[in-house]
Coordinates of all heavy atoms in Angstrom, one line a residue:
M1 N -1.4 -50.5 -1.2 CA -0.1 -50.1 -0.8 C 0.0 -48.6 -1.1 O -0.3 -48.2 -2.1 CB 0.9 -50.9 -1.6 CG 2.3 -50.5 -1.2 SD 3.7 -51.2 -2.2 CE 3.4 -52.9 -2.2
T2 N 0.5 -47.9 -0.1 CA 0.7 -46.5 -0.3 C 2.1 -46.2 -0.5 O 3.0 -46.9 0.0 CB 0.2 -45.7 1.0 OG1 0.9 -46.1 2.1 CG2 -1.3 -45.9 1.2
T3 N 2.4 -45.2 -1.3 CA 3.7 -44.8 -1.5 C 3.9 -43.4 -1.0 O 3.0 -42.5 -1.0 CB 4.1 -44.8 -3.0 OG1 3.2 -43.9 -3.7 CG2 4.0 -46.2 -3.6
H4 N 5.1 -43.1 -0.4 CA 5.4 -41.7 0.1 C 6.3 -41.1 -0.9 O 7.3 -41.6 -1.2 CB 6.0 -41.8 1.5 CG 5.0 -42.4 2.5 ND1 4.0 -41.7 3.0 CD2 5.0 -43.7 3.0 CE1 3.4 -42.5 3.9 NE2 3.9 -43.7 3.9
H5 N 6.0 -39.9 -1.3 CA 6.8 -39.1 -2.2 C 7.5 -38.0 -1.4 O 6.8 -37.3 -0.6 CB 6.0 -38.5 -3.3 CG 5.3 -39.5 -4.2 ND1 6.0 -40.3 -5.1 CD2 4.0 -39.9 -4.2 CE1 5.2 -41.1 -5.7 NE2 3.9 -40.9 -5.2
A6 N 8.7 -37.8 -1.6 CA 9.4 -36.7 -1.0 C 9.2 -35.5 -1.8 O 9.5 -35.4 -3.0 CB 10.9 -37.0 -0.9
H7 N 8.6 -34.5 -1.2 CA 8.4 -33.2 -1.9 C 9.3 -32.1 -1.4 O 9.6 -32.1 -0.2 CB 6.9 -32.7 -1.7 CG 5.9 -33.6 -2.3 ND1 5.7 -33.7 -3.7 CD2 5.0 -34.5 -1.8 CE1 4.8 -34.5 -3.9 NE2 4.3 -35.0 -2.8
S8 N 9.8 -31.3 -2.3 CA 10.6 -30.2 -1.9 C 9.8 -29.1 -1.3 O 8.6 -29.0 -1.5 CB 11.4 -29.7 -3.1 OG 10.6 -29.1 -4.0
R9 N 10.4 -28.2 -0.7 CA 9.7 -27.0 -0.1 C 9.1 -26.2 -1.3 O 8.0 -25.7 -1.2 CB 10.7 -26.1 0.6 CG 10.0 -25.0 1.3 CD 11.0 -24.1 2.2 NE 12.3 -24.7 2.4 CZ 13.3 -24.1 3.0 NH1 13.1 -22.9 3.4 NH2 14.4 -24.7 3.1
R10 N 9.8 -26.1 -2.4 CA 9.3 -25.4 -3.5 C 8.0 -26.0 -4.1 O 7.0 -25.3 -4.4 CB 10.3 -25.3 -4.6 CG 9.9 -24.5 -5.8 CD 10.9 -24.4 -6.8 NE 12.0 -23.5 -6.2 CZ 13.0 -23.0 -6.9 NH1 13.1 -23.3 -8.2 NH2 13.9 -22.3 -6.3
Q11 N 8.0 -27.3 -4.2 CA 6.8 -28.0 -4.6 C 5.6 -27.8 -3.7 O 4.5 -27.6 -4.1 CB 7.1 -29.5 -4.8 CG 8.0 -29.8 -6.0 CD 8.4 -31.3 -5.9 OE1 8.6 -31.9 -4.9 NE2 8.6 -31.9 -7.1
F12 N 5.9 -27.9 -2.4 CA 4.9 -27.7 -1.4 C 4.3 -26.3 -1.5 O 3.1 -26.1 -1.5 CB 5.4 -27.9 0.0 CG 4.5 -27.5 1.1 CD1 3.4 -28.3 1.4 CD2 4.6 -26.3 1.8 CE1 2.5 -27.9 2.4 CE2 3.8 -25.9 2.8 CZ 2.7 -26.7 3.1
I13 N 5.1 -25.3 -1.6 CA 4.6 -23.9 -1.8 C 3.8 -23.7 -3.0 O 2.8 -23.1 -3.0 CB 5.8 -22.9 -1.7 CG1 6.4 -22.9 -0.2 CG2 5.4 -21.5 -2.0 CD1 7.7 -22.1 -0.1
Q14 N 4.3 -24.2 -4.1 CA 3.6 -24.1 -5.4 C 2.2 -24.7 -5.3 O 1.2 -24.2 -5.8 CB 4.4 -24.7 -6.5 CG 5.6 -23.9 -7.0 CD 6.5 -24.7 -8.0 OE1 6.4 -25.9 -8.1 NE2 7.3 -23.9 -8.7
S15 N 2.1 -25.9 -4.7 CA 0.8 -26.6 -4.7 C -0.1 -25.9 -3.7 O -1.3 -25.7 -3.9 CB 1.0 -28.0 -4.3 OG 1.5 -28.2 -3.0
T16 N 0.5 -25.3 -2.6 CA -0.3 -24.6 -1.7 C -0.9 -23.3 -2.3 O -2.0 -23.0 -2.1 CB 0.5 -24.2 -0.4 OG1 1.0 -25.5 0.2 CG2 -0.3 -23.5 0.6
L17 N 0.0 -22.6 -3.0 CA -0.4 -21.3 -3.6 C -1.5 -21.6 -4.7 O -2.4 -20.9 -4.8 CB 0.8 -20.6 -4.3 CG 1.7 -19.9 -3.3 CD1 2.9 -19.4 -4.0 CD2 1.0 -18.9 -2.5
A18 N -1.3 -22.7 -5.5 CA -2.3 -23.0 -6.5 C -3.6 -23.4 -5.9 O -4.7 -23.0 -6.4 CB -1.7 -24.2 -7.3
T19 N -3.6 -24.0 -4.8 CA -4.8 -24.4 -4.1 C -5.6 -23.2 -3.5 O -6.8 -23.1 -3.6 CB -4.5 -25.4 -3.0 OG1 -3.8 -26.5 -3.5 CG2 -5.8 -25.9 -2.3
T20 N -4.8 -22.3 -3.0 CA -5.5 -21.1 -2.4 C -5.8 -20.0 -3.4 O -6.7 -19.2 -3.3 CB -4.6 -20.5 -1.3 OG1 -3.3 -20.2 -1.8 CG2 -4.5 -21.4 -0.1
A21 N -5.0 -20.0 -4.5 CA -5.3 -18.9 -5.5 C -6.5 -19.1 -6.3 O -7.2 -18.2 -6.7 CB -4.1 -18.9 -6.5
V22 N -6.9 -20.4 -6.6 CA -8.1 -20.7 -7.4 C -9.4 -20.1 -6.8 O -10.1 -19.4 -7.4 CB -8.2 -22.2 -7.7 CG1 -9.5 -22.5 -8.4 CG2 -7.0 -22.6 -8.6
P23 N -9.7 -20.4 -5.5 CA -10.9 -19.8 -4.9 C -10.8 -18.3 -4.9 O -11.8 -17.6 -5.1 CB -10.9 -20.4 -3.5 CG -10.1 -21.6 -3.6 CD -9.0 -21.3 -4.6
Y24 N -9.6 -17.8 -4.6 CA -9.5 -16.3 -4.6 C -9.8 -15.7 -5.9 O -10.4 -14.7 -6.0 CB -8.1 -16.0 -4.1 CG -7.8 -14.5 -4.1 CD1 -8.4 -13.7 -3.1 CD2 -6.9 -13.9 -5.0 CE1 -8.1 -12.3 -3.1 CE2 -6.7 -12.6 -5.0 CZ -7.3 -11.8 -4.0 OH -7.0 -10.4 -4.0
W25 N -9.2 -16.3 -7.0 CA -9.4 -15.8 -8.3 C -10.9 -15.8 -8.7 O -11.4 -14.8 -9.2 CB -8.7 -16.7 -9.3 CG -9.0 -16.3 -10.7 CD1 -9.8 -17.0 -11.6 CD2 -8.5 -15.1 -11.4 NE1 -9.8 -16.3 -12.8 CE2 -9.0 -15.2 -12.7 CE3 -7.7 -14.1 -11.1 CZ2 -8.8 -14.2 -13.7 CZ3 -7.4 -13.1 -12.0 CH2 -8.0 -13.2 -13.3
F26 N -11.6 -16.9 -8.3 CA -13.1 -16.9 -8.6 C -13.9 -15.9 -7.8 O -14.8 -15.3 -8.3 CB -13.6 -18.3 -8.4 CG -13.2 -19.2 -9.5 CD1 -12.4 -20.3 -9.3 CD2 -13.6 -19.0 -10.9 CE1 -12.0 -21.2 -10.3 CE2 -13.2 -19.8 -11.9 CZ -12.4 -20.9 -11.6
S27 N -13.4 -15.6 -6.6 CA -14.1 -14.6 -5.8 C -13.9 -13.2 -6.4 O -14.8 -12.4 -6.4 CB -13.7 -14.6 -4.3 OG -12.4 -14.1 -4.2
I28 N -12.7 -12.9 -6.9 CA -12.4 -11.7 -7.6 C -13.3 -11.5 -8.8 O -13.9 -10.5 -9.1 CB -11.0 -11.5 -7.9 CG1 -10.1 -11.4 -6.7 CG2 -10.7 -10.3 -8.9 CD1 -8.6 -11.4 -7.0
Q29 N -13.4 -12.6 -9.6 CA -14.2 -12.5 -10.8 C -15.6 -12.3 -10.5 O -16.3 -11.6 -11.2 CB -14.0 -13.8 -11.6 CG -12.5 -14.0 -12.1 CD -12.1 -12.9 -13.0 OE1 -12.9 -12.4 -13.9 NE2 -10.9 -12.4 -12.8
S30 N -16.2 -13.0 -9.5 CA -17.6 -12.8 -9.2 C -17.9 -11.4 -8.7 O -18.9 -10.9 -9.0 CB -18.0 -13.9 -8.2 OG -17.4 -13.7 -6.9
N31 N -16.9 -10.8 -7.9 CA -17.1 -9.5 -7.5 C -17.1 -8.5 -8.6 O -17.8 -7.5 -8.7 CB -16.1 -9.1 -6.4 CG -16.4 -9.7 -5.1 OD1 -17.5 -10.1 -4.8 ND2 -15.4 -9.8 -4.3
A32 N -16.2 -8.7 -9.6 CA -16.1 -7.9 -10.7 C -17.3 -7.9 -11.6 O -17.8 -6.9 -12.1 CB -14.8 -8.2 -11.5
K33 N -17.9 -9.1 -11.7 CA -19.1 -9.3 -12.5 C -20.3 -8.6 -11.8 O -21.1 -8.1 -12.5 CB -19.4 -10.8 -12.7 CG -18.4 -11.4 -13.6 CD -18.7 -12.9 -13.8 CE -17.6 -13.6 -14.6 NZ -17.8 -15.0 -14.7
A34 N -20.3 -8.6 -10.5 CA -21.4 -8.0 -9.8 C -21.2 -6.5 -9.7 O -22.1 -5.8 -9.3 CB -21.5 -8.5 -8.4
G35 N -20.1 -6.0 -10.2 CA -19.9 -4.5 -10.1 C -19.4 -4.0 -8.8 O -19.5 -2.8 -8.5
E36 N -19.1 -4.9 -7.9 CA -18.7 -4.5 -6.5 C -17.2 -4.8 -6.4 O -16.8 -6.0 -6.5 CB -19.5 -5.3 -5.5 CG -21.0 -5.1 -5.6 CD -21.7 -6.0 -4.6 OE1 -21.1 -6.6 -3.8 OE2 -22.9 -6.0 -4.7
A37 N -16.4 -3.8 -6.0 CA -15.0 -4.1 -5.7 C -14.9 -4.2 -4.2 O -15.3 -3.3 -3.5 CB -14.2 -2.9 -6.3
R38 N -14.3 -5.2 -3.8 CA -14.1 -5.4 -2.3 C -13.1 -4.3 -1.8 O -13.4 -3.7 -0.8 CB -13.5 -6.8 -2.0 CG -14.5 -7.9 -2.2 CD -13.8 -9.1 -1.7 NE -14.6 -9.6 -0.5 CZ -14.5 -10.8 0.0 NH1 -13.6 -11.6 -0.5 NH2 -15.2 -11.2 1.0
N39 N -12.0 -4.2 -2.5 CA -11.0 -3.2 -2.0 C -10.4 -2.6 -3.3 O -9.9 -3.3 -4.1 CB -9.9 -3.8 -1.3 CG -10.3 -4.4 0.1 OD1 -11.0 -3.7 0.8 ND2 -9.9 -5.6 0.3
D40 N -10.6 -1.3 -3.4 CA -9.9 -0.6 -4.5 C -8.4 -0.7 -4.4 O -7.7 -0.8 -5.3 CB -10.4 0.8 -4.6 CG -11.8 1.0 -5.0 OD1 -12.3 0.0 -5.7 OD2 -12.5 2.0 -4.6
R41 N -8.0 -0.5 -3.1 CA -6.5 -0.5 -2.8 C -6.3 -1.3 -1.5 O -6.5 -0.7 -0.4 CB -6.2 1.0 -2.7 CG -4.8 1.4 -2.8 CD -4.3 1.7 -4.2 NE -2.9 2.1 -3.9 CZ -1.9 1.6 -4.6 NH1 -2.1 0.8 -5.6 NH2 -0.7 1.9 -4.3
P42 N -6.0 -2.6 -1.6 CA -5.8 -3.4 -0.4 C -4.6 -2.9 0.4 O -3.7 -2.2 -0.1 CB -5.6 -4.8 -1.0 CG -5.2 -4.6 -2.4 CD -5.8 -3.3 -2.8
T43 N -4.6 -3.2 1.7 CA -3.5 -2.9 2.5 C -2.5 -4.0 2.6 O -2.8 -5.2 2.4 CB -3.9 -2.5 3.9 OG1 -4.7 -3.7 4.5 CG2 -4.8 -1.3 3.9
I44 N -1.2 -3.7 2.7 CA -0.1 -4.7 2.7 C 0.8 -4.5 3.9 O 1.1 -3.4 4.4 CB 0.8 -4.4 1.4 CG1 -0.1 -4.6 0.2 CG2 2.0 -5.4 1.4 CD1 0.7 -4.2 -1.1
G45 N 1.1 -5.6 4.5 CA 2.1 -5.7 5.6 C 3.4 -6.4 5.0 O 3.3 -7.5 4.5
C46 N 4.5 -5.7 5.2 CA 5.8 -6.3 4.6 C 6.6 -6.8 5.8 O 6.9 -6.2 6.7 CB 6.6 -5.2 3.9 SG 5.7 -4.4 2.6
I47 N 7.0 -8.1 5.6 CA 7.8 -8.8 6.6 C 9.1 -9.1 6.0 O 9.2 -9.8 5.0 CB 7.1 -10.1 7.1 CG1 5.7 -9.7 7.7 CG2 8.0 -10.8 8.1 CD1 4.9 -10.9 8.0
G48 N 10.2 -8.6 6.6 CA 11.5 -8.9 6.1 C 11.9 -8.0 5.0 O 11.8 -8.3 3.8
V49 N 12.3 -6.7 5.3 CA 12.5 -5.7 4.3 C 13.9 -5.4 4.0 O 14.2 -4.3 3.6 CB 11.6 -4.5 4.5 CG1 10.2 -4.7 4.4 CG2 12.0 -3.9 5.9
G50 N 14.8 -6.3 4.3 CA 16.2 -6.1 4.0 C 16.6 -6.8 2.8 O 16.1 -7.9 2.5
G51 N 17.4 -6.2 1.9 CA 17.8 -6.8 0.7 C 16.7 -7.1 -0.3 O 16.0 -6.3 -0.8
R52 N 16.5 -8.4 -0.6 CA 15.4 -8.9 -1.5 C 14.0 -8.4 -1.1 O 13.2 -8.1 -1.9 CB 15.5 -10.4 -1.6 CG 14.5 -11.0 -2.5 CD 14.8 -11.0 -3.9 NE 13.8 -11.7 -4.7 CZ 13.2 -11.2 -5.7 NH1 13.5 -10.1 -6.2 NH2 12.3 -11.9 -6.3
G53 N 13.8 -8.4 0.3 CA 12.5 -8.0 0.8 C 12.2 -6.6 0.4 O 11.0 -6.3 0.2
T54 N 13.2 -5.7 0.3 CA 12.9 -4.3 -0.1 C 12.4 -4.3 -1.5 O 11.5 -3.6 -1.9 CB 14.2 -3.5 0.1 OG1 14.5 -3.4 1.4 CG2 14.0 -2.1 -0.4
H55 N 13.1 -5.0 -2.4 CA 12.7 -5.1 -3.8 C 11.3 -5.6 -4.0 O 10.4 -5.0 -4.7 CB 13.7 -6.0 -4.6 CG 13.3 -6.1 -6.0 ND1 13.4 -5.1 -6.9 CD2 12.7 -7.2 -6.6 CE1 12.9 -5.6 -8.1 NE2 12.5 -6.8 -8.0
V56 N 10.9 -6.7 -3.3 CA 9.6 -7.3 -3.4 C 8.6 -6.4 -2.8 O 7.5 -6.2 -3.4 CB 9.6 -8.7 -2.7 CG1 8.2 -9.2 -2.7 CG2 10.5 -9.7 -3.5
S57 N 8.8 -5.8 -1.7 CA 7.9 -4.9 -1.1 C 7.6 -3.6 -1.9 O 6.5 -3.2 -2.0 CB 8.4 -4.5 0.3 OG 8.5 -5.6 1.1
T58 N 8.7 -3.1 -2.5 CA 8.5 -2.0 -3.4 C 7.6 -2.3 -4.6 O 6.8 -1.6 -5.0 CB 9.9 -1.4 -3.8 OG1 10.7 -1.1 -2.7 CG2 9.7 -0.2 -4.7
W59 N 7.8 -3.5 -5.1 CA 7.0 -4.0 -6.3 C 5.6 -4.1 -5.8 O 4.6 -3.8 -6.6 CB 7.6 -5.3 -6.8 CG 6.8 -5.9 -7.8 CD1 6.7 -5.6 -9.1 CD2 5.9 -7.0 -7.6 NE1 5.8 -6.5 -9.8 CE2 5.3 -7.3 -8.8 CE3 5.5 -7.8 -6.5 CZ2 4.4 -8.3 -9.0 CZ3 4.6 -8.8 -6.7 CH2 4.0 -9.1 -7.9
A60 N 5.3 -4.6 -4.6 CA 4.0 -4.9 -4.1 C 3.2 -3.6 -3.9 O 2.0 -3.6 -4.0 CB 4.0 -5.7 -2.8
Q61 N 3.9 -2.5 -3.8 CA 3.2 -1.2 -3.6 C 2.4 -0.8 -4.8 O 1.5 0.1 -4.7 CB 4.2 -0.1 -3.2 CG 4.7 -0.2 -1.8 CD 5.7 0.9 -1.5 OE1 6.6 1.1 -2.2 NE2 5.4 1.5 -0.4
K62 N 2.7 -1.4 -6.0 CA 1.9 -1.1 -7.1 C 0.4 -1.6 -7.0 O -0.5 -1.1 -7.6 CB 2.4 -1.8 -8.4 CG 3.8 -1.4 -8.8 CD 4.3 -2.2 -9.9 CE 5.7 -1.9 -10.3 NZ 6.2 -2.7 -11.4
F63 N 0.2 -2.5 -6.1 CA -1.1 -3.2 -5.9 C -1.8 -2.8 -4.6 O -3.0 -3.1 -4.5 CB -0.9 -4.7 -6.0 CG -0.2 -5.1 -7.2 CD1 1.1 -5.5 -7.1 CD2 -0.9 -5.1 -8.4 CE1 1.8 -5.9 -8.3 CE2 -0.2 -5.6 -9.6 CZ 1.1 -5.9 -9.5
G64 N -1.1 -2.1 -3.7 CA -1.8 -1.8 -2.4 C -1.0 -0.8 -1.6 O 0.1 -0.4 -2.0
D65 N -1.5 -0.4 -0.5 CA -0.8 0.5 0.4 C -0.2 -0.2 1.5 O -0.8 -1.0 2.2 CB -1.8 1.5 1.0 CG -2.5 2.3 -0.1 OD1 -1.8 2.7 -1.1 OD2 -3.7 2.5 0.0
V66 N 1.1 0.1 1.8 CA 1.9 -0.6 2.8 C 1.5 0.1 4.2 O 1.6 1.3 4.3 CB 3.4 -0.5 2.6 CG1 4.1 -1.0 3.8 CG2 3.8 -1.2 1.4
V67 N 0.9 -0.6 5.1 CA 0.5 -0.1 6.4 C 1.4 -0.6 7.5 O 1.3 -0.1 8.6 CB -1.0 -0.4 6.6 CG1 -1.8 0.3 5.6 CG2 -1.3 -1.9 6.7
A68 N 2.2 -1.7 7.3 CA 3.0 -2.2 8.3 C 4.3 -2.7 7.7 O 4.3 -3.3 6.7 CB 2.3 -3.3 9.1
V69 N 5.4 -2.5 8.5 CA 6.7 -3.0 8.0 C 7.3 -3.7 9.2 O 7.4 -3.1 10.3 CB 7.6 -1.8 7.6 CG1 9.0 -2.3 7.2 CG2 7.0 -1.0 6.5
C70 N 7.8 -4.9 9.0 CA 8.4 -5.7 10.0 C 9.7 -6.3 9.6 O 9.8 -6.8 8.5 CB 7.4 -6.8 10.4 SG 8.0 -7.9 11.7
D71 N 10.7 -6.2 10.5 CA 12.0 -6.9 10.2 C 12.7 -7.2 11.5 O 12.5 -6.4 12.5 CB 12.9 -6.0 9.3 CG 14.0 -6.7 8.7 OD1 15.0 -7.1 9.4 OD2 13.9 -7.0 7.5
A72 N 13.5 -8.2 11.6 CA 14.2 -8.6 12.8 C 15.2 -7.5 13.1 O 15.5 -7.2 14.3 CB 14.9 -9.9 12.6
D73 N 15.7 -6.8 12.1 CA 16.6 -5.7 12.3 C 15.8 -4.4 12.2 O 15.4 -4.0 11.1 CB 17.7 -5.7 11.2 CG 18.8 -4.6 11.4 OD1 18.5 -3.7 12.2 OD2 19.8 -4.7 10.7
L74 N 15.6 -3.7 13.3 CA 14.8 -2.5 13.3 C 15.3 -1.5 12.3 O 14.5 -0.7 11.7 CB 14.6 -2.0 14.7 CG 13.6 -0.8 14.9 CD1 12.2 -1.2 14.4 CD2 13.6 -0.4 16.3
N75 N 16.6 -1.4 12.1 CA 17.2 -0.5 11.2 C 16.6 -0.7 9.7 O 16.3 0.3 9.0 CB 18.7 -0.5 11.1 CG 19.3 0.0 12.4 OD1 18.7 0.9 13.1 ND2 20.4 -0.6 12.9
H76 N 16.5 -1.9 9.3 CA 15.9 -2.2 8.0 C 14.5 -1.7 7.9 O 14.1 -1.1 6.9 CB 16.0 -3.7 7.7 CG 17.3 -4.3 7.4 ND1 17.6 -5.6 7.5 CD2 18.5 -3.7 7.1 CE1 18.9 -5.8 7.2 NE2 19.4 -4.6 7.0
A77 N 13.7 -2.0 8.9 CA 12.3 -1.6 8.9 C 12.2 0.0 8.9 O 11.4 0.5 8.1 CB 11.6 -2.1 10.2
E78 N 13.0 0.6 9.6 CA 13.0 2.1 9.7 C 13.4 2.7 8.3 O 12.9 3.7 7.8 CB 13.8 2.7 10.8 CG 13.3 2.4 12.2 CD 12.0 3.1 12.5 OE1 11.7 4.1 11.8 OE2 11.2 2.6 13.4
Q79 N 14.5 2.1 7.7 CA 15.0 2.6 6.4 C 13.9 2.4 5.4 O 13.7 3.3 4.5 CB 16.3 1.9 6.0 CG 17.4 2.3 6.9 CD 18.7 1.4 6.6 OE1 18.6 0.5 5.7 NE2 19.8 1.7 7.2
F80 N 13.3 1.3 5.3 CA 12.2 1.0 4.3 C 11.1 2.0 4.5 O 10.6 2.6 3.6 CB 11.7 -0.4 4.4 CG 10.7 -0.7 3.4 CD1 11.0 -1.1 2.1 CD2 9.3 -0.6 3.6 CE1 10.1 -1.3 1.1 CE2 8.3 -0.8 2.7 CZ 8.7 -1.2 1.4
K81 N 10.7 2.2 5.8 CA 9.6 3.1 6.1 C 9.9 4.5 5.6 O 9.1 5.2 5.0 CB 9.3 3.1 7.6 CG 8.2 4.1 8.0 CD 8.0 4.1 9.5 CE 6.9 5.2 9.8 NZ 6.6 5.2 11.2
A82 N 11.1 5.0 5.9 CA 11.6 6.3 5.5 C 11.6 6.5 4.0 O 11.2 7.6 3.5 CB 13.0 6.6 6.1
K83 N 11.9 5.5 3.2 CA 12.0 5.7 1.8 C 10.8 5.3 1.0 O 10.5 5.9 0.0 CB 13.1 4.7 1.3 CG 14.5 5.2 1.6 CD 15.6 4.2 1.1 CE 17.0 4.6 1.5 NZ 17.9 3.6 1.0
H84 N 10.0 4.4 1.6 CA 8.9 3.8 0.7 C 7.5 3.9 1.4 O 6.5 3.8 0.6 CB 9.2 2.4 0.4 CG 10.5 2.2 -0.3 ND1 10.7 2.6 -1.6 CD2 11.7 1.7 0.1 CE1 12.0 2.3 -1.9 NE2 12.6 1.8 -0.9
A85 N 7.4 4.0 2.7 CA 6.1 3.8 3.3 C 6.0 4.7 4.6 O 6.0 4.2 5.7 CB 5.8 2.4 3.6
S86 N 6.0 6.0 4.4 CA 6.1 6.9 5.6 C 5.0 6.8 6.6 O 5.2 7.1 7.7 CB 6.2 8.3 5.1 OG 5.1 8.7 4.4
K87 N 3.8 6.3 6.1 CA 2.7 6.2 7.0 C 2.6 4.8 7.7 O 1.7 4.6 8.5 CB 1.4 6.5 6.3 CG 1.3 7.9 5.8 CD 0.0 8.2 5.0 CE 0.0 9.6 4.5 NZ -1.2 9.9 3.7
A88 N 3.5 3.9 7.4 CA 3.4 2.5 7.9 C 3.9 2.5 9.3 O 4.7 3.3 9.8 CB 4.2 1.6 7.0
D89 N 3.4 1.5 10.1 CA 3.9 1.2 11.4 C 5.0 0.3 11.3 O 5.1 -0.6 10.4 CB 2.8 0.5 12.3 CG 1.6 1.4 12.5 OD1 1.8 2.7 12.7 OD2 0.4 0.9 12.6
T90 N 6.0 0.4 12.2 CA 7.1 -0.5 12.1 C 7.1 -1.5 13.3 O 6.7 -1.1 14.4 CB 8.5 0.2 12.2 OG1 8.5 1.1 13.3 CG2 8.7 1.0 10.9
Y91 N 7.5 -2.7 13.1 CA 7.5 -3.8 14.1 C 8.9 -4.5 14.0 O 9.4 -4.6 13.0 CB 6.4 -4.8 13.9 CG 5.0 -4.1 13.9 CD1 4.4 -3.7 12.8 CD2 4.4 -3.9 15.2 CE1 3.1 -3.1 12.9 CE2 3.1 -3.3 15.2 CZ 2.5 -2.9 14.1 OH 1.3 -2.3 14.2

């Protein structure tokens, strides 16, 4: 007999992230051990940069370079680009 469990969106995202993060973590560790860095500074594309998205995208810049900015409201994308990522393309 099978049972169906109702999962929330949050539970789904957490389990998906956990599943994908583990192989990624091990690949980073193996590259670090081999002395080879895949990317010293990875590139980042920011989607939805109004309000909370601006905060998260600004925080993400600590880890990589923003090369693309996308928002349904072009004004949000242009404002973010002007303040935080002058070399990024806007979509």
